[in-house]
Amino acid sequence: MPNGVIGGGWDFVIAILLGVAFGFVLEASGFSSSRNLAGVFYGYNFVVLRVFFTALIVAMVGLLYFDYVGWLNLSQIFILPTFLTPMIVGGVIMGVGFVLGGFCPGTSFTGIAIGKLDALFFTIGLYLGIFGFSLAYPLFEDFFTSGDMGNVTLMEITGLPAPYFAVAFTVVALAAFWGTMFVEKRVRKNMKQYKF
């Protein structure tokens, strides 16, 4: 690591441990179930939204704290370049695949780990799609690299200092928690009423 806190030889060990822990959390949160995952699009199960909001808040606050105490330098963290239009189109395509297949790339591997055939077929389709896109990439290259905004963050776009942005994001997340619980109750009540 750049700060020399962790030796280079531990990189892969830590990556494996974090991967196992992440998979365990996904499974414990019910993310290996395509019903739970697709439920967010139908309004009866927002566990995906709440878990990921929680993960974002924990990571955000942790990074800010580590930077504050000098354990981490935020300026050394790589920020993926933003290509706005292709990222929006890619997000729509992934969302459609999420609804149809009931998995996203990460959760499909969680499903495979516990022996789910639908997750296996989803992952096979995922790799076929990646292979097909790589073959057709020359046709999409200009579009793929369009709308380049550089290595920007939401804090830079909004002009809010990091601590204020963290507070604002946490408030939005808490509102989403409350709102999704309200929607879930209404949808499940209607499902029982109409015996879906």
Side-chain angles (χ1 to χ4, degrees):
M1 291 184 68
N3 293 336
V5 178
I6 299 173
W10 285 94
D11 289 359
F12 288 112
V13 175
I14 292 172
I16 290 171
L17 292 175
L18 288 175
V20 170
F22 182 64
F24 175 80
V25 171
L26 288 180
E27 167 59 20
S29 302
F31 282 20
S32 61
S33 167
S34 56
R35 288 178 181 270
N36 287 343
L37 294 165
V40 71
F41 297 99
Y42 296 102
Y44 65 81
N45 191 328
F46 286 95
V47 67
V48 175
L49 186 78
R50 289 194 285 268
V51 168
F52 275 107
F53 258 131
T54 302
L56 284 170
I57 291 170
V58 170
M60 177 178 59
V61 173
L63 286 172
L64 290 174
Y65 177 75
F66 282 10
D67 182 64
Y68 177 75
V69 298
W71 294 349
L72 179 73
N73 186 345
L74 286 179
S75 65
Q76 294 178 330
I77 294 178
F78 173 74
I79 298 171
L80 190 70
T82 298
F83 299 94
L84 190 60
T85 306
M87 284 182 166
I88 291 172
V89 172
V92 171
I93 293 171
M94 182 175 171
V96 171
F98 206 145
V99 175
L100 293 176
F103 293 99
C104 73
T107 56
S108 66
F109 286 102
T110 305
I112 290 174
I114 62 169
K116 294 206 167 189
L117 287 177
D118 56 344
L120 176 62
F121 284 108
F122 181 92
T123 306
I124 292 170
L126 167 71
Y127 279 107
L128 288 174
I130 292 171
F131 180 68
F133 178 79
S134 65
L135 291 178
Y137 178 73
L139 301 174
F140 302 109
E141 185 174 3
D142 290 339
F143 174 72
F144 190 79
T145 56
S146 63
D148 185 6
M149 296 176 64
N151 306 80
V152 296
T153 66
L154 286 174
M155 289 171 284
E156 292 171 350
I157 292 173
T158 59
L160 288 174
Y164 293 108
F165 181 85
V167 171
F169 188 86
T170 302
V171 170
V172 170
L174 292 173
F177 288 178
W178 180 84
T180 55
M181 286 189 284
F182 175 77
V183 171
E184 276 181 351
K185 287 179 182 177
R186 294 293 296 270
V187 170
R188 288 177 180 176
K189 183 179 178 182
N190 290 337
M191 289 173 71
K192 285 181 180 179
Q193 180 180 351
Y194 295 104
K195 299 180 180 179
F196 284 123

